[in-house]
Amino acid sequence: MTTTVRHAPALLALALALAVAGNATAQQPAPAPVAPPAAPAATPAPKPLPDPVAVVNGEPIAKSTFLTYQQQRARQMAAQGMPLDPDGSRAQIVDELVMQELLVQQAVKDKTAEDPEVAAQLDLLRRNMLATAVVRKYLKTAQPSEADIKAEYDKAVANMKTKEYKARHILVDSEEKAKQMVAELKKGAKFEDLAKANSSDGSKDQGGDLGWFTPDMMVEPFSQAVVGLDKGKYTEAPVKTQFGWHVIQLEDVRDQTPPPLDELRPQLTQMLQGKLVNDYLEKLKAGAKVEVKE
């Protein structure tokens, strides 16, 4: 019965609309000019946030507390891929703060802060927050220069200089099978064909093609064998790794192309900021009297 009552107005409106449309078709009036689409309704502005946002047993929850908590919740939700709607979540955040305040008031009644473990954790939290705030304040003015970033990039590129290798391989489960592959190659068989027919890994469908790689991307016996080959040559002595026995053919060698500066800029900036903070800490330590107790 409830369902019928709920949908009755909608059904009545639909019936009236159909009736009017049918009557209009029969009379065939002159077509009316098309009215321009109505402008979308303006979204109402959110109500100003009161200060305090709530009062619990006479204790106010300040607007600043709400805003700080809201920012924390927004960061947490964003990290989980769920953006927080600041306006839509207002009531929920106030409710969470109210529940938190009730627990804090209960903790005061129970003298929870006097518990040694709780007191130590509170002190550590306070110290961490203050130390973090000082570092953030310092980094607002102490930023690495563009010249510093460029110099660090050049240094990284210099250390990055290495070779990239393009190779194929045939992977089998015994040295005897690997030697058979070498014998077939010496008779003139194509490396790709032997790999497709005999290799036991995922590259067999591509004729054993491993694409471009740097030596550190491969296990050591394999990479050592590749580095020792001339272009176009293959390993006449099978190479043993934990995956089996390999016959390897080196197709090409090239210098590794470093990524552009803009791609590495965030990492370089973060690293240089870390150095600045470390220098700042060393300066503070040098000007302090520190006694480490045995």
Side-chain angles (χ1 to χ4, degrees):
M1 180 62 70
T2 303
T3 302
T4 304
V5 171
R6 183 182 301 140
H7 290 283
L11 292 174
L12 179 59
L14 178 60
L16 289 173
L18 291 174
V20 170
N23 188 40
T25 302
Q27 296 177 4
Q28 295 182 347
V34 178
T43 303
K47 294 180 180 179
L49 193 64
D51 191 12
V53 295
V55 179
V56 183
N57 294 328
E59 292 292 332
I61 299 175
K63 176 181 176 179
S64 58
T65 301
F66 173 94
L67 294 175
T68 301
Y69 185 79
Q70 185 184 51
Q71 290 174 354
Q72 291 178 350
R73 293 282 281 113
R75 286 195 292 267
Q76 292 170 354
M77 298 296 285
Q80 299 171 12
M82 298 181 291
L84 183 69
D85 176 12
D87 297 328
S89 62
R90 180 182 290 188
Q92 178 185 347
I93 291 176
V94 170
D95 186 59
E96 290 177 9
L97 287 171
V98 167
M99 298 305 296
Q100 184 186 68
E101 177 61 28
L102 288 170
L103 291 172
V104 168
Q105 291 180 16
Q106 187 62 43
V108 172
K109 291 179 183 178
D110 297 342
K111 298 183 178 180
T112 304
E114 297 179 12
D115 180 276
E117 183 177 351
V118 175
Q121 290 177 350
L122 287 172
D123 181 60
L124 185 59
L125 180 62
R126 170 184 168 276
R127 292 162 61 86
N128 285 338
M129 290 185 66
L130 289 174
T132 301
V134 170
V135 170
R136 286 177 177 169
K137 181 180 179 181
Y138 171 72
L139 286 176
K140 286 182 178 180
T141 55
Q143 288 291 329
S145 67
E146 185 64 25
D148 291 336
I149 295 174
K150 180 64 166 60
E152 200 66 34
Y153 171 77
D154 292 340
K155 188 190 303 182
V157 168
N159 294 333
M160 195 183 298
K161 283 185 177 177
T162 186
K163 300 289 185 181
E164 288 184 314
Y165 298 84
K166 190 175 189 299
R168 295 178 184 269
H169 80 144
I170 304 169
L171 177 63
V172 291
D173 58 7
S174 71
E175 184 179 14
E176 182 182 355
K177 288 182 182 178
K179 288 181 176 179
Q180 289 176 2
M181 298 299 102
V182 173
E184 292 294 327
L185 289 169
K186 288 182 177 181
K187 292 178 183 178
K190 288 187 176 182
F191 199 98
E192 300 95 309
D193 295 339
L194 288 177
K196 287 180 179 179
N198 299 278
S199 194
S200 61
D201 80 329
S203 69
K204 66 178 297 182
D205 293 336
Q206 290 77 45
D209 187 6
L210 297 171
W212 289 97
F213 58 87
T214 54
D216 60 333
M217 294 169 63
M218 299 296 182
V219 292
E220 192 166 311
F222 190 100
S223 61
Q224 287 178 341
V226 170
V227 171
L229 284 172
D230 293 327
K231 284 201 301 185
K233 300 298 183 179
Y234 57 83
T235 52
E236 296 189 11
V239 179
K240 187 178 188 303
T241 70
Q242 65 263 42
F243 304 106
W245 293 85
H246 308 257
V247 180
I248 308 165
Q249 182 184 54
L250 178 62
E251 293 192 328
D252 204 356
V253 183
R254 69 184 182 189
D255 291 329
Q256 185 180 19
T257 303
L261 172 59
D262 285 342
E263 185 177 325
L264 294 181
R265 186 182 299 277
Q267 299 96 306
L268 294 173
T269 301
Q270 186 176 21
M271 182 175 64
L272 288 170
Q273 285 177 335
K275 289 183 179 180
L276 288 172
V277 171
N278 187 66
D279 292 343
Y280 177 60
L281 293 175
E282 289 297 328
K283 181 180 178 181
L284 291 177
K285 188 176 180 180
K289 182 180 178 181
V290 180
E291 297 180 41
V292 179
K293 304 293 185 181
E294 295 294 338

